[in-house]
Amino acid sequence: MKDTLSKIRETAIASCAAAKTVDEVENLRVQVLGRKGELTQILRTLGTMTPEERSEVGKLSNEIKTELEAALDARKADLEREVIGKKLSAEWIDVTLSGAQTTEPFERGHLHPISQFQYEIEDIFTSMGFDVLDGPEAETEHYNFEVLNIPKHHPARDMQDTFWTEDGNLLRTHTSAIQVRGMEKIKPPFRVIGPGRVFRYEATDASHENTFYQVEGMMVDKNISVANLIYFMKTLLREIFKREVKIRLRPGFFPFVEPGFELDINCLICGGEGCPVCKQSGWVELLPCGLVHPNVLRSGGINPDEYSGFAFGLGLNRLVMMRYGITDIRHFLSGDIRFLKQF
Ligand code: DAH
């Protein structure tokens, strides 16, 4: 019996030292000291032994039990400490480490030139009392065309072919889609701009992209005329180009404005003398605009006899290209880090 006991002890102590997880330690505890455990079974047979045997085996068993319990507890504590230690060293962060101490040269990223410019324009307009609106890039035909006075078979749709979803929605072709969405939310008088990404089904080349950026603008109040439009456009251009810019309006057709214009600026490169940039004309086409068509106001629940407004659509890519002398629109979405690093 003594031999059996010392075998149990030896094996248990060895297994305890070899246990790699807390679960293994606990299983061992059950296996030896549990209700059906090896040691417990022996203690159960004490009644069948002679008094001498009983006291000897009982004493030894209790000693082993105490020793084993201590060994199991100690191993368990060690393993628990090990787990915490591992976690601590794996998840340790030196919050005091500065970028300069890393071996890699530390490079801070920055906003894309289009975003930089968009925020600049938002600042200019908010300083003039405009709110900034957002609209969905995936639009309904209703907001992108119908309410803008471009019914289904209107030829103006040909100029703005886009990507359609199978359920009849589309990727918006212009930020003008925010016009009526805006009017449904805000009552006149109001001044809003809506910057965002737009899409066209387009063969790409140096001046055409299938994905580009616009800022829509709209002001509606009593007695808004072309004079208001000219004032805000001139202020905008002065802020962007940091100088007084001469402009001219030419007639332009867009179904959602009447009258509609193309706004040209006096060429900033040659000052109007004529150069390759302005194709010797002295003028550069900059942005389309006009007075909001009565039908569009009506679609937005506004009475055109009471209110009028102007609207414009600023091509962001175009302006950034003019500012930095970028010659190919495809650079913007190329993801080429050499291009982006320059801004
Ligand atoms: N949505 C037009 C386009 O992308 C641009 C435009 C023209 C916007 C005239 C306007 C506007 O607000 O009045 O081609």
Side-chain angles (χ1 to χ4, degrees):
M1 184 56 77
K2 268 204 214 156
D3 280 356
T4 319
L5 279 174
S6 63
K7 238 216 193 90
I8 292 177
R9 179 187 165 274
E10 239 166 71
T11 333
I13 294 283
S15 310
C16 177
K20 289 205 178 56
T21 64
V22 172
D23 280 350
E24 275 178 44
V25 173
E26 288 310 316
N27 288 341
L28 185 61
R29 195 190 299 272
V30 173
Q31 187 192 318
V32 185
L33 306 174
R35 272 201 303 131
K36 291 183 187 151
E38 294 160 19
L39 200 63
T40 321
Q41 305 283 18
I42 291 180
L43 287 169
R44 287 225 173 101
T45 61
L46 283 181
T48 63
M49 296 176 193
T50 62
E52 297 82 51
E53 249 185 340
R54 190 185 306 154
S55 86
E56 208 175 336
V57 172
K59 194 165 162 254
L60 191 56
S61 301
N62 277 328
E63 276 168 19
I64 295 176
K65 190 175 170 191
T66 316
E67 186 191 354
L68 257 180
E69 258 165 2
L72 288 165
D73 288 346
R75 183 74 192 133
K76 186 177 170 187
D78 278 353
L79 287 168
E80 278 171 348
R81 228 173 291 126
E82 217 171 89
V83 169
I84 293 173
K86 262 194 201 140
K87 215 171 177 178
L88 279 178
S89 63
E91 292 172 14
W92 179 83
I93 304 169
D94 183 356
V95 290
T96 65
L97 195 66
S98 77
Q101 282 169 323
T102 60
T103 48
E104 294 281 311
F106 185 69
E107 252 188 274
R108 192 184 285 270
H110 61 73
L111 289 173
H112 190 281
I114 299 259
S115 305
Q116 292 178 24
F117 204 73
Q118 179 188 320
Y119 295 157
E120 209 177 294
I121 289 189
E122 285 180 13
D123 284 347
I124 296 171
F125 276 108
T126 47
S127 78
M128 296 193 286
F130 282 71
D131 284 335
V132 181
L133 293 186
D134 203 9
E137 289 176 355
E139 257 298 0
T140 59
E141 211 180 333
H142 176 78
Y143 286 113
N144 196 83
F145 291 126
E146 243 110 81
V147 291
L148 292 171
N149 210 21
I150 315 175
K152 228 182 186 69
H153 300 291
H154 196 286
R157 285 208 185 183
D158 290 350
M159 299 192 304
Q160 302 197 355
D161 198 5
T162 184
F163 303 94
W164 294 80
T165 61
E166 280 169 4
D167 58 0
N169 294 313
L170 49 87
L171 294 188
R172 67 176 173 196
T173 58
H174 50 186
T175 45
S176 304
I178 66 123
Q179 286 195 8
V180 171
R181 281 189 181 275
M183 288 188 252
E184 283 172 354
K185 277 196 221 101
I186 328 173
K187 293 296 138 215
F190 62 77
R191 304 168 187 194
V192 293
I193 55 165
R197 182 157 50 175
V198 300
F199 309 84
R200 302 270 169 99
Y201 182 64
E202 192 102 54
T204 59
D205 62 28
S207 49
H208 295 89
E209 248 295 13
N210 51 37
T211 305
F212 52 103
Y213 296 79
Q214 295 183 329
V215 178
E216 191 73 13
M218 186 174 39
M219 173 172 182
V220 175
D221 203 337
K222 292 195 166 134
N223 302 316
I224 293 293
S225 72
V226 178
N228 300 96
L229 170 65
I230 292 175
Y231 168 80
F232 279 100
M233 293 304 100
K234 284 194 87 160
T235 311
L236 168 71
L237 296 171
R238 190 188 313 124
E239 291 290 327
I240 293 177
F241 295 110
K242 310 282 181 245
R243 60 179 124 154
E244 212 52 51
V245 185
K246 249 204 215 158
I247 63 163
R248 74 173 185 191
L249 296 181
R250 283 181 294 119
F253 173 71
F254 304 94
F256 34 95
V257 280
E258 176 59 35
F261 307 105
E262 288 289 356
L263 186 148
D264 298 340
I265 56 171
N266 204 229
C267 181
L268 296 170
I269 308 292
C270 63
E273 298 289 311
C275 72
V277 172
C278 59
K279 300 191 187 93
Q280 309 303 331
S281 72
W283 296 94
V284 178
E285 188 178 310
L286 192 77
L287 65 95
C289 51
L291 295 187
V292 183
H293 195 287
N295 286 350
V296 178
L297 289 173
R298 267 184 219 110
S299 299
I302 294 171
N303 178 0
D305 296 327
E306 197 181 346
Y307 288 102
S308 53
F310 68 74
F312 60 89
L314 202 63
L316 270 186
N317 300 61
R318 187 89 192 287
L319 273 175
V320 177
M321 287 169 83
M322 283 174 66
R323 171 179 274 186
Y324 297 113
I326 298 165
T327 50
D328 195 323
I329 192 174
R330 291 168 295 191
H331 284 308
F332 289 117
L333 297 179
S334 65
D336 189 335
I337 205 81
R338 293 167 305 174
F339 170 74
L340 294 172
K341 270 186 173 169
Q342 300 174 65
F343 304 97

